[in-house]
Amino acid sequence: MPKPERAPRRWLWMLIAAAVLCQMALNLARPLISYKVLALGGDSVMVGLTSASFALLPVAFALWLGRMSDRRTSLRGITVVGTLLLSAGPFLLSSAPSLLLVALASAVLGMGHLCFTIAGQSAIARFVPLSQMDAAFGWFTAAFSLGQLVGPLVAGLAMGSAGNVSAETRLTDANLALLLAGAIALLAVPVALGASATGTRRARANTAAAPAPSRPTSVVHLLGVRTVKTNMIASLALLATTDIIVAFLPLLGEETGIAPVGIGVLLAVRAAASISSRLLLPVLLSRWSRTGLITSSLAGAGIGLAILPWLFDNPVVAGILLAVAGFFLGLGQPITMTLITQAVPPDARGAALALRLLGNRLGQVALPICAGLLAAPAGPGGALWMSSAVLCAASIRWPRKT
């Protein structure tokens, strides 16, 4: 590991800046997918399937990319490929004339997100001292939340304040806003190049100094580590729930008469609360254990979402409940990254973090499909109740001691 630096690492701040731009583009695009699916004649089941397609390709490639990140001394290629795919996804979505092509374009968007996330997490796990890792992962995930704040706001403004407009108007507005998302992601490409420059030099030095591993740590061995397995479950529940909120809140808004701009504000409130919890992480960890914070993260988010559908017709109350849920949803993710990183050998950190992402993607495939099927008879609120049940179940299963 490199010696700790007193001054902020330039590469880390560049990585964070690239993450903000990528997530802004991604979270501008994703609510628009739901509106586009509805405009093309889809229903809640199709919204769930399209949301699941975002995670489908990453399920197949997550572990391979994680192994590659462990072997490569430079993460520049993976980072740049991720930003380019994140740029291509919105352009493809804008031109997609059918539900099938919307789902395929959503899968391209998911692959871009996977590449960028694995490269960023692996860089932090490789170059940041363990004593500073919680803070670094907290800043990295806070950048994701900042993009999740700005993106839906822009999406809501682009779609307008009218609650009931024609499908043709919805489709035109969504396509134009998707072009903006692609342009924002393109801005991240030169920033991502700068983010990997310093890390590349250190990677070469660390690789030369460290003994080569005899063989890669197997997936079975990684899953046998209790900390890896329990943190995968927690991360899966938290991230899949965030996806379901983004996908199904527009449907809940259409049902209750809340205009897209109002949905954008509510999604931004959720993201702002997640930013606050991630920036407060060092303070919270000085008073409570990581295990206690993850348990609170799962249970607190689950309780907030359980109440939300009943009171969603009151925007102020809905905003408060989403702020509570968002605070707890943001809390757990960076902690799971640190615990998994600390639980495995240094030469298996990229693979372990990729395994965590694989679990996330499996959840992002299965849970939105289940949410869509449940929303068909129960309404969009049923998707949120299902997420609440998953979160509460994960908090009960979480070990009290690690």
PDB file of all heavy atoms in Angstrom, residues 216-240:
ATOM      1  N   PRO A 216      -5.937 -17.273  -8.409  1.00  0.00           N
ATOM      2  CA  PRO A 216      -7.011 -16.411  -7.941  1.00  0.00           C
ATOM      3  C   PRO A 216      -7.854 -17.101  -6.858  1.00  0.00           C
ATOM      4  O   PRO A 216      -8.069 -18.322  -6.894  1.00  0.00           O
ATOM      5  CB  PRO A 216      -7.837 -16.155  -9.207  1.00  0.00           C
ATOM      6  CG  PRO A 216      -6.932 -16.474 -10.343  1.00  0.00           C
ATOM      7  CD  PRO A 216      -6.019 -17.537  -9.862  1.00  0.00           C
ATOM      8  N   THR A 217      -8.317 -16.305  -5.891  1.00  0.00           N
ATOM      9  CA  THR A 217      -9.202 -16.835  -4.856  1.00  0.00           C
ATOM     10  C   THR A 217     -10.532 -17.214  -5.490  1.00  0.00           C
ATOM     11  O   THR A 217     -11.124 -16.441  -6.229  1.00  0.00           O
ATOM     12  CB  THR A 217      -9.430 -15.775  -3.769  1.00  0.00           C
ATOM     13  OG1 THR A 217      -8.158 -15.319  -3.297  1.00  0.00           O
ATOM     14  CG2 THR A 217     -10.225 -16.348  -2.611  1.00  0.00           C
ATOM     15  N   SER A 218     -11.017 -18.411  -5.199  1.00  0.00           N
ATOM     16  CA  SER A 218     -12.232 -18.900  -5.848  1.00  0.00           C
ATOM     17  C   SER A 218     -13.469 -18.207  -5.295  1.00  0.00           C
ATOM     18  O   SER A 218     -13.475 -17.691  -4.170  1.00  0.00           O
ATOM     19  CB  SER A 218     -12.361 -20.416  -5.651  1.00  0.00           C
ATOM     20  OG  SER A 218     -12.648 -20.704  -4.289  1.00  0.00           O
ATOM     21  N   VAL A 219     -14.543 -18.220  -6.102  1.00  0.00           N
ATOM     22  CA  VAL A 219     -15.809 -17.646  -5.679  1.00  0.00           C
ATOM     23  C   VAL A 219     -16.347 -18.400  -4.464  1.00  0.00           C
ATOM     24  O   VAL A 219     -16.877 -17.792  -3.529  1.00  0.00           O
ATOM     25  CB  VAL A 219     -16.827 -17.688  -6.840  1.00  0.00           C
ATOM     26  CG1 VAL A 219     -18.210 -17.263  -6.361  1.00  0.00           C
ATOM     27  CG2 VAL A 219     -16.371 -16.811  -7.984  1.00  0.00           C
ATOM     28  N   VAL A 220     -16.196 -19.723  -4.469  1.00  0.00           N
ATOM     29  CA  VAL A 220     -16.670 -20.525  -3.341  1.00  0.00           C
ATOM     30  C   VAL A 220     -15.969 -20.103  -2.058  1.00  0.00           C
ATOM     31  O   VAL A 220     -16.589 -19.969  -0.994  1.00  0.00           O
ATOM     32  CB  VAL A 220     -16.449 -22.031  -3.622  1.00  0.00           C
ATOM     33  CG1 VAL A 220     -16.801 -22.856  -2.390  1.00  0.00           C
ATOM     34  CG2 VAL A 220     -17.284 -22.472  -4.823  1.00  0.00           C
ATOM     35  N   HIS A 221     -14.650 -19.877  -2.154  1.00  0.00           N
ATOM     36  CA  HIS A 221     -13.901 -19.441  -0.971  1.00  0.00           C
ATOM     37  C   HIS A 221     -14.374 -18.067  -0.502  1.00  0.00           C
ATOM     38  O   HIS A 221     -14.555 -17.844   0.709  1.00  0.00           O
ATOM     39  CB  HIS A 221     -12.399 -19.406  -1.283  1.00  0.00           C
ATOM     40  CG  HIS A 221     -11.576 -18.888  -0.146  1.00  0.00           C
ATOM     41  ND1 HIS A 221     -11.247 -19.675   0.935  1.00  0.00           N
ATOM     42  CD2 HIS A 221     -11.029 -17.661   0.085  1.00  0.00           C
ATOM     43  CE1 HIS A 221     -10.525 -18.952   1.794  1.00  0.00           C
ATOM     44  NE2 HIS A 221     -10.374 -17.735   1.294  1.00  0.00           N
ATOM     45  N   LEU A 222     -14.580 -17.148  -1.440  1.00  0.00           N
ATOM     46  CA  LEU A 222     -15.038 -15.810  -1.062  1.00  0.00           C
ATOM     47  C   LEU A 222     -16.413 -15.864  -0.400  1.00  0.00           C
ATOM     48  O   LEU A 222     -16.660 -15.182   0.601  1.00  0.00           O
ATOM     49  CB  LEU A 222     -15.082 -14.907  -2.294  1.00  0.00           C
ATOM     50  CG  LEU A 222     -13.735 -14.503  -2.903  1.00  0.00           C
ATOM     51  CD1 LEU A 222     -13.948 -13.751  -4.208  1.00  0.00           C
ATOM     52  CD2 LEU A 222     -12.921 -13.661  -1.932  1.00  0.00           C
ATOM     53  N   LEU A 223     -17.302 -16.683  -0.956  1.00  0.00           N
ATOM     54  CA  LEU A 223     -18.639 -16.808  -0.365  1.00  0.00           C
ATOM     55  C   LEU A 223     -18.604 -17.509   0.981  1.00  0.00           C
ATOM     56  O   LEU A 223     -19.528 -17.367   1.786  1.00  0.00           O
ATOM     57  CB  LEU A 223     -19.571 -17.555  -1.318  1.00  0.00           C
ATOM     58  CG  LEU A 223     -20.025 -16.786  -2.556  1.00  0.00           C
ATOM     59  CD1 LEU A 223     -20.819 -17.683  -3.488  1.00  0.00           C
ATOM     60  CD2 LEU A 223     -20.845 -15.564  -2.161  1.00  0.00           C
ATOM     61  N   GLY A 224     -17.532 -18.280   1.225  1.00  0.00           N
ATOM     62  CA  GLY A 224     -17.381 -18.935   2.521  1.00  0.00           C
ATOM     63  C   GLY A 224     -16.992 -17.988   3.633  1.00  0.00           C
ATOM     64  O   GLY A 224     -17.096 -18.335   4.815  1.00  0.00           O
ATOM     65  N   VAL A 225     -16.525 -16.792   3.257  1.00  0.00           N
ATOM     66  CA  VAL A 225     -16.194 -15.783   4.267  1.00  0.00           C
ATOM     67  C   VAL A 225     -17.495 -15.132   4.717  1.00  0.00           C
ATOM     68  O   VAL A 225     -18.189 -14.496   3.926  1.00  0.00           O
ATOM     69  CB  VAL A 225     -15.223 -14.725   3.691  1.00  0.00           C
ATOM     70  CG1 VAL A 225     -14.914 -13.672   4.746  1.00  0.00           C
ATOM     71  CG2 VAL A 225     -13.952 -15.381   3.180  1.00  0.00           C
ATOM     72  N   ARG A 226     -17.839 -15.297   5.983  1.00  0.00           N
ATOM     73  CA  ARG A 226     -19.150 -14.847   6.470  1.00  0.00           C
ATOM     74  C   ARG A 226     -19.370 -13.352   6.242  1.00  0.00           C
ATOM     75  O   ARG A 226     -20.464 -12.921   5.854  1.00  0.00           O
ATOM     76  CB  ARG A 226     -19.276 -15.163   7.969  1.00  0.00           C
ATOM     77  CG  ARG A 226     -20.639 -14.791   8.550  1.00  0.00           C
ATOM     78  CD  ARG A 226     -20.773 -15.308   9.971  1.00  0.00           C
ATOM     79  NE  ARG A 226     -22.036 -14.902  10.563  1.00  0.00           N
ATOM     80  CZ  ARG A 226     -23.208 -15.472  10.347  1.00  0.00           C
ATOM     81  NH1 ARG A 226     -23.276 -16.492   9.506  1.00  0.00           N
ATOM     82  NH2 ARG A 226     -24.303 -15.049  10.941  1.00  0.00           N
ATOM     83  N   THR A 227     -18.333 -12.563   6.437  1.00  0.00           N
ATOM     84  CA  THR A 227     -18.472 -11.117   6.247  1.00  0.00           C
ATOM     85  C   THR A 227     -18.830 -10.784   4.811  1.00  0.00           C
ATOM     86  O   THR A 227     -19.643  -9.879   4.555  1.00  0.00           O
ATOM     87  CB  THR A 227     -17.163 -10.410   6.644  1.00  0.00           C
ATOM     88  OG1 THR A 227     -16.868 -10.714   8.013  1.00  0.00           O
ATOM     89  CG2 THR A 227     -17.283  -8.910   6.486  1.00  0.00           C
ATOM     90  N   VAL A 228     -18.236 -11.482   3.856  1.00  0.00           N
ATOM     91  CA  VAL A 228     -18.541 -11.240   2.444  1.00  0.00           C
ATOM     92  C   VAL A 228     -20.001 -11.580   2.163  1.00  0.00           C
ATOM     93  O   VAL A 228     -20.734 -10.793   1.534  1.00  0.00           O
ATOM     94  CB  VAL A 228     -17.602 -12.070   1.540  1.00  0.00           C
ATOM     95  CG1 VAL A 228     -18.044 -11.973   0.082  1.00  0.00           C
ATOM     96  CG2 VAL A 228     -16.164 -11.592   1.691  1.00  0.00           C
ATOM     97  N   LYS A 229     -20.437 -12.728   2.652  1.00  0.00           N
ATOM     98  CA  LYS A 229     -21.798 -13.187   2.350  1.00  0.00           C
ATOM     99  C   LYS A 229     -22.863 -12.265   2.959  1.00  0.00           C
ATOM    100  O   LYS A 229     -23.823 -11.876   2.281  1.00  0.00           O
ATOM    101  CB  LYS A 229     -21.960 -14.614   2.860  1.00  0.00           C
ATOM    102  CG  LYS A 229     -23.287 -15.262   2.527  1.00  0.00           C
ATOM    103  CD  LYS A 229     -23.192 -16.774   2.706  1.00  0.00           C
ATOM    104  CE  LYS A 229     -22.655 -17.146   4.083  1.00  0.00           C
ATOM    105  NZ  LYS A 229     -22.547 -18.604   4.252  1.00  0.00           N
ATOM    106  N   THR A 230     -22.713 -11.906   4.224  1.00  0.00           N
ATOM    107  CA  THR A 230     -23.729 -11.077   4.874  1.00  0.00           C
ATOM    108  C   THR A 230     -23.758  -9.661   4.290  1.00  0.00           C
ATOM    109  O   THR A 230     -24.831  -9.067   4.138  1.00  0.00           O
ATOM    110  CB  THR A 230     -23.474 -11.000   6.388  1.00  0.00           C
ATOM    111  OG1 THR A 230     -22.130 -10.591   6.631  1.00  0.00           O
ATOM    112  CG2 THR A 230     -23.714 -12.341   7.052  1.00  0.00           C
ATOM    113  N   ASN A 231     -22.591  -9.141   3.940  1.00  0.00           N
ATOM    114  CA  ASN A 231     -22.564  -7.808   3.336  1.00  0.00           C
ATOM    115  C   ASN A 231     -23.125  -7.816   1.928  1.00  0.00           C
ATOM    116  O   ASN A 231     -23.682  -6.808   1.473  1.00  0.00           O
ATOM    117  CB  ASN A 231     -21.138  -7.255   3.340  1.00  0.00           C
ATOM    118  CG  ASN A 231     -20.771  -6.643   4.678  1.00  0.00           C
ATOM    119  OD1 ASN A 231     -21.110  -5.509   4.972  1.00  0.00           O
ATOM    120  ND2 ASN A 231     -20.089  -7.417   5.518  1.00  0.00           N
ATOM    121  N   MET A 232     -22.971  -8.921   1.203  1.00  0.00           N
ATOM    122  CA  MET A 232     -23.602  -9.042  -0.111  1.00  0.00           C
ATOM    123  C   MET A 232     -25.119  -8.956   0.007  1.00  0.00           C
ATOM    124  O   MET A 232     -25.786  -8.274  -0.787  1.00  0.00           O
ATOM    125  CB  MET A 232     -23.205 -10.364  -0.771  1.00  0.00           C
ATOM    126  CG  MET A 232     -21.875 -10.364  -1.475  1.00  0.00           C
ATOM    127  SD  MET A 232     -21.568 -11.942  -2.304  1.00  0.00           S
ATOM    128  CE  MET A 232     -22.913 -11.975  -3.496  1.00  0.00           C
ATOM    129  N   ILE A 233     -25.682  -9.634   1.008  1.00  0.00           N
ATOM    130  CA  ILE A 233     -27.136  -9.617   1.196  1.00  0.00           C
ATOM    131  C   ILE A 233     -27.614  -8.204   1.514  1.00  0.00           C
ATOM    132  O   ILE A 233     -28.603  -7.710   0.951  1.00  0.00           O
ATOM    133  CB  ILE A 233     -27.539 -10.600   2.309  1.00  0.00           C
ATOM    134  CG1 ILE A 233     -27.241 -12.046   1.882  1.00  0.00           C
ATOM    135  CG2 ILE A 233     -29.010 -10.438   2.663  1.00  0.00           C
ATOM    136  CD1 ILE A 233     -27.420 -13.065   2.995  1.00  0.00           C
ATOM    137  N   ALA A 234     -26.895  -7.532   2.423  1.00  0.00           N
ATOM    138  CA  ALA A 234     -27.282  -6.172   2.796  1.00  0.00           C
ATOM    139  C   ALA A 234     -27.187  -5.234   1.599  1.00  0.00           C
ATOM    140  O   ALA A 234     -28.098  -4.439   1.325  1.00  0.00           O
ATOM    141  CB  ALA A 234     -26.387  -5.675   3.935  1.00  0.00           C
ATOM    142  N   SER A 235     -26.079  -5.315   0.853  1.00  0.00           N
ATOM    143  CA  SER A 235     -25.880  -4.439  -0.304  1.00  0.00           C
ATOM    144  C   SER A 235     -26.927  -4.695  -1.373  1.00  0.00           C
ATOM    145  O   SER A 235     -27.458  -3.756  -1.990  1.00  0.00           O
ATOM    146  CB  SER A 235     -24.474  -4.651  -0.863  1.00  0.00           C
ATOM    147  OG  SER A 235     -24.227  -3.804  -1.945  1.00  0.00           O
ATOM    148  N   LEU A 236     -27.232  -5.962  -1.618  1.00  0.00           N
ATOM    149  CA  LEU A 236     -28.249  -6.342  -2.603  1.00  0.00           C
ATOM    150  C   LEU A 236     -29.595  -5.699  -2.255  1.00  0.00           C
ATOM    151  O   LEU A 236     -30.248  -5.092  -3.114  1.00  0.00           O
ATOM    152  CB  LEU A 236     -28.376  -7.861  -2.621  1.00  0.00           C
ATOM    153  CG  LEU A 236     -29.371  -8.551  -3.562  1.00  0.00           C
ATOM    154  CD1 LEU A 236     -28.928 -10.001  -3.784  1.00  0.00           C
ATOM    155  CD2 LEU A 236     -30.791  -8.559  -3.010  1.00  0.00           C
ATOM    156  N   ALA A 237     -30.004  -5.809  -0.991  1.00  0.00           N
ATOM    157  CA  ALA A 237     -31.302  -5.268  -0.582  1.00  0.00           C
ATOM    158  C   ALA A 237     -31.340  -3.749  -0.722  1.00  0.00           C
ATOM    159  O   ALA A 237     -32.325  -3.181  -1.208  1.00  0.00           O
ATOM    160  CB  ALA A 237     -31.595  -5.677   0.862  1.00  0.00           C
ATOM    161  N   LEU A 238     -30.249  -3.073  -0.339  1.00  0.00           N
ATOM    162  CA  LEU A 238     -30.218  -1.615  -0.375  1.00  0.00           C
ATOM    163  C   LEU A 238     -30.227  -1.082  -1.808  1.00  0.00           C
ATOM    164  O   LEU A 238     -30.975  -0.155  -2.139  1.00  0.00           O
ATOM    165  CB  LEU A 238     -28.980  -1.103   0.366  1.00  0.00           C
ATOM    166  CG  LEU A 238     -28.978  -1.321   1.885  1.00  0.00           C
ATOM    167  CD1 LEU A 238     -27.578  -1.087   2.457  1.00  0.00           C
ATOM    168  CD2 LEU A 238     -29.982  -0.391   2.566  1.00  0.00           C
ATOM    169  N   LEU A 239     -29.397  -1.673  -2.671  1.00  0.00           N
ATOM    170  CA  LEU A 239     -29.295  -1.147  -4.031  1.00  0.00           C
ATOM    171  C   LEU A 239     -30.529  -1.479  -4.866  1.00  0.00           C
ATOM    172  O   LEU A 239     -31.015  -0.640  -5.635  1.00  0.00           O
ATOM    173  CB  LEU A 239     -28.039  -1.691  -4.718  1.00  0.00           C
ATOM    174  CG  LEU A 239     -27.717  -1.021  -6.054  1.00  0.00           C
ATOM    175  CD1 LEU A 239     -27.400   0.457  -5.837  1.00  0.00           C
ATOM    176  CD2 LEU A 239     -26.542  -1.694  -6.735  1.00  0.00           C
ATOM    177  N   ALA A 240     -31.050  -2.697  -4.735  1.00  0.00           N
ATOM    178  CA  ALA A 240     -32.252  -3.057  -5.490  1.00  0.00           C
ATOM    179  C   ALA A 240     -33.427  -2.178  -5.081  1.00  0.00           C
ATOM    180  O   ALA A 240     -34.255  -1.790  -5.920  1.00  0.00           O
ATOM    181  CB  ALA A 240     -32.586  -4.530  -5.279  1.00  0.00           C
TER     182      ALA A 240
END
